[in-house]
Amino acid sequence: MSYKLKTLQKELAALVDRYTVRDGDLYTEISNLVFSRHSIPYRSNRIEPPYKIDKPSIYIIVQGVKDVIFGEERFRYGPPNYLVASMDLPIIAEVLEASAEFPNLSCKIEFTRSNILELLSHDALTVSHRGKSSRSLNVAELDVSVLDAVVRLVGLLDKPADIPVLAPLFTKEILYRVLHGEHGSSLRQIVTDGTPAIHIQNAIQHLLNHFQESFQVEDLADIAKMSVPSFHRHFKQITAMSPIQFQKQLRLQEARQLLIMEESLSIADTAFQVGYESPTQFIREYSRMFGISPKKDMRRLKKADEHGLDI
């Protein structure tokens, strides 16, 4: 790792540490910039990490190490890397290294599809293989050009009057660097006409909006304007999951949130509300996903909340 990169990482760590006064996610004065701080590894307190639906974004670990579970795949990344996520996906982030003295610190920078399109309209970048799909979550090597722009963006929090003018410019520079990076194609494919990803996005959006409802794969393939075999192949290439697995993760994510927020809701009512016809099947799949039954999970989540543990 170069001296310049190490210097920028220390500068970024100091900024994020100063603006995160508690554990959890922190939305900043810059609308597309989110910080995260964790003082306890997820494994040490045995609280399973939460699932999240992520917008097209990059994630930089400023301090510590995380694992990201994506379908059946697991990515580990830390300060030498950044994560590129191109679609709305259910993922799980697991904090591996964290303490009160050395908290796990990270920042997320979100992009819109219009941001990507604007840059592509002025650039020679294209998607070279329109018949192929790129995975929508990838780990890339962090370089000085990306990190320098990120430090300048985060540094605007010290100069709030400059945010309206300079934040969009620095965000555009970061995105430009990422689009030219090793996994820029995963972002380019979601806005390029004719790519399978464009059509798979429509099916994903349908699942996000109707995850409680049962579906036929043929109907999703029609939404994506693909044959069933082609739809299955591209969906798995992009999301690392089958459509059924994708829906299951969405349902269980929502169920867990309901159990936390709605104390009066029974396990059976929770199952029915997220689309399960059988509470027994719901309990079985919930236990397989989170390693504990819904009832026991609800108790430990509440206990963790009472003790101020971030979940």
Side-chain angles (χ1 to χ4, degrees), residues 70-277:
F70 171 51
E72 298 175 353
E73 301 183 25
R74 179 183 287 264
F75 302 87
R76 180 161 298 180
Y77 74 115
N81 320 108
Y82 65 96
L83 199 69
V84 183
S86 63
M87 290 191 188
D88 294 346
L89 296 170
I91 66 170
I92 190 168
E94 187 175 81
V95 176
L96 301 183
E97 297 178 3
S99 66
E101 297 75 23
F102 196 78
N104 190 292
L105 303 172
S106 63
C107 64
K108 174 173 72 168
I109 301 166
E110 299 175 345
F111 308 107
T112 65
R113 286 168 174 78
S114 60
N115 293 151
I116 301 170
L117 277 170
E118 181 184 2
L119 278 174
L120 292 184
S121 67
H122 299 291
D123 203 352
L125 287 171
T126 60
V127 176
S128 57
H129 300 290
R130 294 194 171 189
K132 296 183 179 180
S133 300
S134 297
R135 190 171 55 190
S136 56
L137 194 73
N138 298 279
V139 175
E141 185 176 349
L142 190 60
D143 60 33
V144 169
S145 64
V146 173
L147 189 56
D148 180 66
V150 171
V151 169
R152 282 184 277 117
L153 176 68
V154 175
L156 291 176
L157 295 173
D158 289 338
K159 302 174 182 178
D162 293 343
I163 290 175
V165 174
L166 294 182
L169 297 178
F170 294 161
T171 297
K172 183 181 290 188
E173 180 182 351
I174 294 164
L175 179 57
Y176 176 84
R177 302 292 184 190
V178 173
L179 287 171
H180 280 269
E182 57 186 303
H183 295 300
S185 61
S186 68
L187 291 175
R188 298 197 297 273
Q189 71 176 352
I190 67 173
V191 298
T192 304
D193 288 340
T195 60
I198 287 285
H199 302 296
I200 292 295
Q201 281 184 98
N202 295 331
I204 287 175
Q205 196 59 50
H206 179 84
L207 286 171
L208 290 169
N209 293 336
H210 304 280
F211 65 86
Q212 303 96 332
E213 304 170 11
S214 60
F215 66 85
Q216 298 294 323
V217 174
E218 291 80 3
D219 294 333
L220 288 179
D222 285 343
I223 291 172
K225 299 179 181 178
M226 295 178 177
S227 67
V228 171
S230 180
F231 172 74
H232 263 298
R233 183 176 70 256
H234 288 293
F235 194 97
K236 187 72 178 286
Q237 286 174 346
I238 290 169
T239 70
M241 290 172 268
S242 70
I244 291 292
Q245 289 173 319
F246 192 98
Q247 182 194 52
K248 185 186 299 183
Q249 292 202 10
L250 293 174
R251 285 179 169 183
L252 294 174
Q253 172 196 8
E254 178 66 16
R256 200 165 197 241
Q257 292 301 313
L258 289 173
L259 290 173
I260 295 170
M261 303 300 296
E262 303 289 342
E263 296 185 12
S264 61
L265 205 61
S266 69
I267 300 300
D269 287 340
T270 301
F272 294 139
Q273 195 159 322
V274 299
Y276 281 89
E277 297 180 0

Side-chain angles (χ1 to χ4, degrees), residues 46 48 292 296-304:
R46 302 193 178 188
E48 291 293 325
I292 193 170
K296 289 181 179 179
D297 194 29
M298 185 167 50
R299 285 201 297 264
R300 71 171 182 168
L301 290 169
K302 289 177 181 177
K303 185 177 179 180

